[in-house]
Short mmCIF file of all heavy atoms in Angstrom, two decimals:
data_model
loop_
_atom_site.label_atom_id
_atom_site.label_comp_id
_atom_site.label_asym_id
_atom_site.label_seq_id
_atom_site.Cartn_x
_atom_site.Cartn_y
_atom_site.Cartn_z
N VAL X 39 -8.73 27.68 21.60
CA VAL X 39 -7.79 26.77 20.96
C VAL X 39 -7.04 26.03 22.05
O VAL X 39 -6.41 26.61 22.90
CB VAL X 39 -6.76 27.55 20.08
CG1 VAL X 39 -5.79 26.57 19.45
CG2 VAL X 39 -7.49 28.35 18.98
N LEU X 40 -7.19 24.69 22.02
CA LEU X 40 -6.54 23.86 23.04
C LEU X 40 -5.39 23.09 22.37
O LEU X 40 -5.61 22.43 21.36
CB LEU X 40 -7.53 22.88 23.67
CG LEU X 40 -6.95 21.89 24.66
CD1 LEU X 40 -6.69 22.53 25.97
CD2 LEU X 40 -7.88 20.69 24.81
N GLY X 41 -4.22 23.15 22.98
CA GLY X 41 -3.11 22.34 22.47
C GLY X 41 -3.02 21.06 23.25
O GLY X 41 -3.05 21.07 24.50
N LEU X 42 -2.95 19.91 22.54
CA LEU X 42 -2.83 18.62 23.24
C LEU X 42 -1.46 18.11 22.87
O LEU X 42 -1.17 17.77 21.73
CB LEU X 42 -3.94 17.69 22.74
CG LEU X 42 -4.16 16.37 23.46
CD1 LEU X 42 -4.39 16.57 24.94
CD2 LEU X 42 -5.31 15.61 22.84
N VAL X 43 -0.56 18.09 23.88
CA VAL X 43 0.86 17.82 23.62
C VAL X 43 1.27 16.54 24.30
O VAL X 43 0.82 16.23 25.41
CB VAL X 43 1.73 19.00 24.15
CG1 VAL X 43 3.17 18.84 23.71
CG2 VAL X 43 1.17 20.32 23.67
N GLY X 44 2.16 15.82 23.64
CA GLY X 44 2.69 14.63 24.29
C GLY X 44 3.58 13.87 23.31
O GLY X 44 3.50 14.07 22.11
N LEU X 197 -0.47 26.46 9.72
CA LEU X 197 -0.76 26.77 11.11
C LEU X 197 -1.44 28.13 11.23
O LEU X 197 -2.48 28.31 11.83
CB LEU X 197 0.61 26.85 11.84
CG LEU X 197 0.62 26.56 13.32
CD1 LEU X 197 0.22 25.12 13.53
CD2 LEU X 197 2.03 26.80 13.87
N GLN X 201 -5.49 28.80 12.20
CA GLN X 201 -5.74 29.65 13.37
C GLN X 201 -6.62 30.85 12.96
O GLN X 201 -7.62 31.16 13.60
CB GLN X 201 -4.39 30.15 13.89
CG GLN X 201 -4.50 30.90 15.17
CD GLN X 201 -3.16 31.47 15.56
OE1 GLN X 201 -2.28 31.60 14.75
NE2 GLN X 201 -3.02 31.84 16.85
N ILE X 212 -8.97 21.86 18.66
CA ILE X 212 -7.99 21.06 19.44
C ILE X 212 -6.82 20.79 18.55
O ILE X 212 -7.00 20.13 17.48
CB ILE X 212 -8.63 19.74 19.95
CG1 ILE X 212 -9.84 20.01 20.85
CG2 ILE X 212 -7.58 18.90 20.69
CD1 ILE X 212 -10.51 18.74 21.34
N TRP X 213 -5.68 21.31 18.89
CA TRP X 213 -4.52 21.15 18.03
C TRP X 213 -3.61 20.10 18.70
O TRP X 213 -3.04 20.35 19.75
CB TRP X 213 -3.77 22.44 17.82
CG TRP X 213 -2.71 22.34 16.78
CD1 TRP X 213 -1.47 21.84 16.93
CD2 TRP X 213 -2.81 22.78 15.40
NE1 TRP X 213 -0.79 21.89 15.75
CE2 TRP X 213 -1.58 22.47 14.78
CE3 TRP X 213 -3.84 23.37 14.63
CZ2 TRP X 213 -1.31 22.73 13.44
CZ3 TRP X 213 -3.55 23.65 13.30
CH2 TRP X 213 -2.33 23.33 12.74
N ILE X 214 -3.49 18.92 18.10
CA ILE X 214 -2.71 17.85 18.64
C ILE X 214 -1.30 17.93 18.06
O ILE X 214 -1.11 18.10 16.87
CB ILE X 214 -3.33 16.47 18.28
CG1 ILE X 214 -4.71 16.35 18.97
CG2 ILE X 214 -2.40 15.33 18.68
CD1 ILE X 214 -5.44 15.08 18.57
N THR X 215 -0.30 17.82 18.92
CA THR X 215 1.08 17.88 18.44
C THR X 215 2.02 17.29 19.47
O THR X 215 1.68 17.14 20.65
CB THR X 215 1.52 19.35 18.12
OG1 THR X 215 2.87 19.35 17.69
CG2 THR X 215 1.38 20.24 19.35
N HIS X 216 3.22 16.88 19.00
CA HIS X 216 4.22 16.47 19.99
C HIS X 216 5.22 17.60 20.17
O HIS X 216 6.20 17.48 20.89
CB HIS X 216 4.92 15.19 19.54
CG HIS X 216 5.58 15.32 18.21
ND1 HIS X 216 5.03 14.82 17.06
CD2 HIS X 216 6.76 15.88 17.88
CE1 HIS X 216 5.82 15.11 16.05
NE2 HIS X 216 6.86 15.74 16.50
N ASP X 217 4.97 18.75 19.50
CA ASP X 217 5.96 19.82 19.45
C ASP X 217 5.39 20.99 20.27
O ASP X 217 4.51 21.73 19.80
CB ASP X 217 6.18 20.20 17.99
CG ASP X 217 7.30 21.22 17.88
OD1 ASP X 217 7.75 21.73 18.90
OD2 ASP X 217 7.70 21.48 16.71
N LEU X 218 5.95 21.19 21.43
CA LEU X 218 5.46 22.24 22.30
C LEU X 218 5.60 23.63 21.68
O LEU X 218 4.74 24.50 21.86
CB LEU X 218 6.27 22.20 23.63
CG LEU X 218 5.62 22.85 24.84
CD1 LEU X 218 4.34 22.14 25.21
CD2 LEU X 218 6.58 22.81 26.03
N ALA X 219 6.65 23.81 20.89
CA ALA X 219 6.91 25.12 20.27
C ALA X 219 5.75 25.49 19.34
O ALA X 219 5.40 26.64 19.21
CB ALA X 219 8.23 25.08 19.50
N VAL X 220 5.19 24.50 18.67
CA VAL X 220 4.10 24.76 17.72
C VAL X 220 2.88 25.37 18.43
O VAL X 220 2.32 26.38 18.01
CB VAL X 220 3.68 23.47 16.97
CG1 VAL X 220 2.39 23.68 16.20
CG2 VAL X 220 4.77 23.08 16.01
N VAL X 221 2.47 24.74 19.58
CA VAL X 221 1.27 25.24 20.24
C VAL X 221 1.53 26.49 21.03
O VAL X 221 0.58 27.26 21.29
CB VAL X 221 0.65 24.21 21.20
CG1 VAL X 221 -0.19 23.22 20.40
CG2 VAL X 221 1.65 23.57 22.08
N ALA X 222 2.78 26.74 21.39
CA ALA X 222 3.09 27.89 22.27
C ALA X 222 2.55 29.19 21.64
O ALA X 222 2.02 30.00 22.33
CB ALA X 222 4.59 27.98 22.51
N GLY X 223 2.68 29.31 20.31
CA GLY X 223 2.24 30.54 19.70
C GLY X 223 0.77 30.49 19.23
O GLY X 223 0.30 31.44 18.64
N LEU X 224 0.09 29.39 19.48
CA LEU X 224 -1.19 29.18 18.81
C LEU X 224 -2.34 29.03 19.81
O LEU X 224 -3.41 29.59 19.63
CB LEU X 224 -1.10 27.88 17.98
CG LEU X 224 -2.33 27.29 17.34
CD1 LEU X 224 -2.67 28.08 16.09
CD2 LEU X 224 -2.10 25.83 17.00
N ALA X 225 -2.05 28.27 20.92
CA ALA X 225 -3.15 27.83 21.75
C ALA X 225 -3.47 28.83 22.89
O ALA X 225 -2.63 29.65 23.26
CB ALA X 225 -2.81 26.45 22.37
N ASP X 226 -4.70 28.74 23.39
CA ASP X 226 -5.06 29.49 24.58
C ASP X 226 -4.72 28.65 25.81
O ASP X 226 -4.26 29.14 26.81
CB ASP X 226 -6.56 29.75 24.58
CG ASP X 226 -7.00 30.51 23.33
OD1 ASP X 226 -6.38 31.54 23.03
OD2 ASP X 226 -7.94 30.07 22.67
N ALA X 227 -5.00 27.34 25.74
CA ALA X 227 -4.76 26.45 26.87
C ALA X 227 -4.01 25.24 26.35
O ALA X 227 -3.94 24.99 25.14
CB ALA X 227 -6.10 26.07 27.52
N ILE X 228 -3.49 24.46 27.26
CA ILE X 228 -2.66 23.36 26.87
C ILE X 228 -2.92 22.17 27.83
O ILE X 228 -3.18 22.37 29.01
CB ILE X 228 -1.18 23.81 26.87
CG1 ILE X 228 -0.37 23.00 25.93
CG2 ILE X 228 -0.61 23.75 28.25
CD1 ILE X 228 0.99 23.64 25.70
N CYS X 229 -2.90 20.99 27.21
CA CYS X 229 -2.94 19.74 28.03
C CYS X 229 -1.71 18.96 27.67
O CYS X 229 -1.44 18.73 26.49
CB CYS X 229 -4.18 18.90 27.66
SG CYS X 229 -5.73 19.57 28.20
N VAL X 230 -0.95 18.56 28.65
CA VAL X 230 0.21 17.73 28.42
C VAL X 230 -0.12 16.30 28.75
O VAL X 230 -0.54 15.98 29.87
CB VAL X 230 1.43 18.20 29.26
CG1 VAL X 230 2.64 17.34 28.97
CG2 VAL X 230 1.73 19.66 28.98
N ILE X 242 -1.94 28.79 28.52
CA ILE X 242 -0.67 28.62 27.80
C ILE X 242 0.50 29.28 28.56
O ILE X 242 1.55 28.73 28.72
CB ILE X 242 -0.76 29.14 26.36
CG1 ILE X 242 0.44 28.74 25.56
CG2 ILE X 242 -1.02 30.63 26.25
CD1 ILE X 242 0.33 27.41 24.97
N ILE X 246 3.72 27.18 29.92
CA ILE X 246 5.02 27.39 29.26
C ILE X 246 5.99 28.12 30.17
O ILE X 246 7.17 27.77 30.31
CB ILE X 246 4.84 28.22 27.96
CG1 ILE X 246 3.90 27.43 27.00
CG2 ILE X 246 6.15 28.54 27.32
CD1 ILE X 246 4.57 26.36 26.22
#
Side-chain angles (χ1 to χ4, degrees):
Chain X
V39 179
L40 175 77
L42 190 57
V43 188
L197 207 65
Q201 188 186 17
I212 299 178
W213 191 281
I214 295 175
T215 178
H216 58 260
D217 187 351
L218 201 63
V220 168
V221 280
L224 172 79
D226 303 309
I228 206 167
C229 289
V230 180
I242 190 86
I246 299 281

